[in-house]
Amino acid sequence: MEKLDKLDTRILNILQKDASLSTKDIAGEIGLSVSPTHERIKRLKAEGYIEKYVALVNREKLGKHLLVLCTVTLKEQSIATLKNFEESVVQFKEVLEVLCIAGGQDYLLKIVVDDVDDYHTFVVTHLSSLSNISTLSSSFVLKEIKRETAFHLIF
């Protein structure tokens, strides 16, 4: 992998803010012609700095009014048990993120559903069907104060 230079980090910062920009727009912003800018973006993808492009959708407009942070503690922490839990929980469409964490719990799940009743149904029909769960603890998000997907890269 090549080391990132100032232009690479500027490209990454720009794409994190708006991935729909054309190569021409990005080139103009960084002061480079289109062809070398395109080659840099292609290299950043090939080297894994850019994983994928997505559109951030407004969940509220789609009726997904409840955001839940759910911690999960397993009864046992063997490699097979952890792997089995992870492979199962990532299949649920309601689960946006699965984080393995240190501390009193084993996992933090970010879950989006329509409402409390929908969450109850999800817990009863999906989460409770997974073996080896010792405890679940749910926190309902009342208000999102800051929601970012980009982090600032400094050269």
Side-chain angles (χ1 to χ4, degrees), residues 95-110:
V95 177
L96 298 182
E97 294 182 36
V98 179
L99 305 168
C100 183
I101 58 176
Q105 297 83 29
D106 298 312
Y107 292 94
L108 175 65
L109 311 179
K110 184 176 180 182

Side-chain angles (χ1 to χ4, degrees), residues 14-37:
I14 291 166
L15 287 172
Q16 283 188 103
K17 291 179 186 157
D18 188 355
S20 70
L21 290 174
S22 69
T23 304
K24 182 180 176 184
D25 292 334
I26 296 168
E29 203 165 322
I30 65 170
L32 206 59
S33 64
V34 173
S35 184
T37 301

Side-chain angles (χ1 to χ4, degrees), residues 76-83 132:
E76 175 189 341
Q77 282 79 29
S78 70
I79 292 173
T81 305
L82 296 171
K83 185 177 178 184
N132 199 41

Side-chain angles (χ1 to χ4, degrees), residues 136-155:
L136 295 174
S137 178
S138 303
S139 296
F140 301 106
V141 175
L142 301 175
K143 181 179 177 183
E144 286 183 275
I145 310 304
K146 181 177 181 180
R147 180 178 173 240
E148 284 289 327
T149 60
F151 52 93
H152 185 72
L153 300 169
I154 301 172
F155 178 72

Side-chain angles (χ1 to χ4, degrees), residues 34-81:
V34 173
S35 184
T37 301
H38 173 74
E39 289 304 313
R40 282 176 177 267
I41 293 170
K42 195 165 104 176
R43 179 179 51 79
L44 291 168
K45 286 181 192 175
E47 292 180 357
Y49 290 101
I50 298 171
E51 292 180 2
K52 63 182 175 178
Y53 296 106
V54 298
L56 299 178
V57 177
N58 184 322
R59 67 177 172 79
E60 292 276 343
K61 290 202 177 268
L62 296 172
K64 302 297 180 189
H65 300 289
L66 188 61
L67 174 60
V68 183
L69 302 176
C70 176
T71 57
V72 177
T73 305
L74 300 179
K75 294 175 190 171
E76 175 189 341
Q77 282 79 29
S78 70
I79 292 173
T81 305

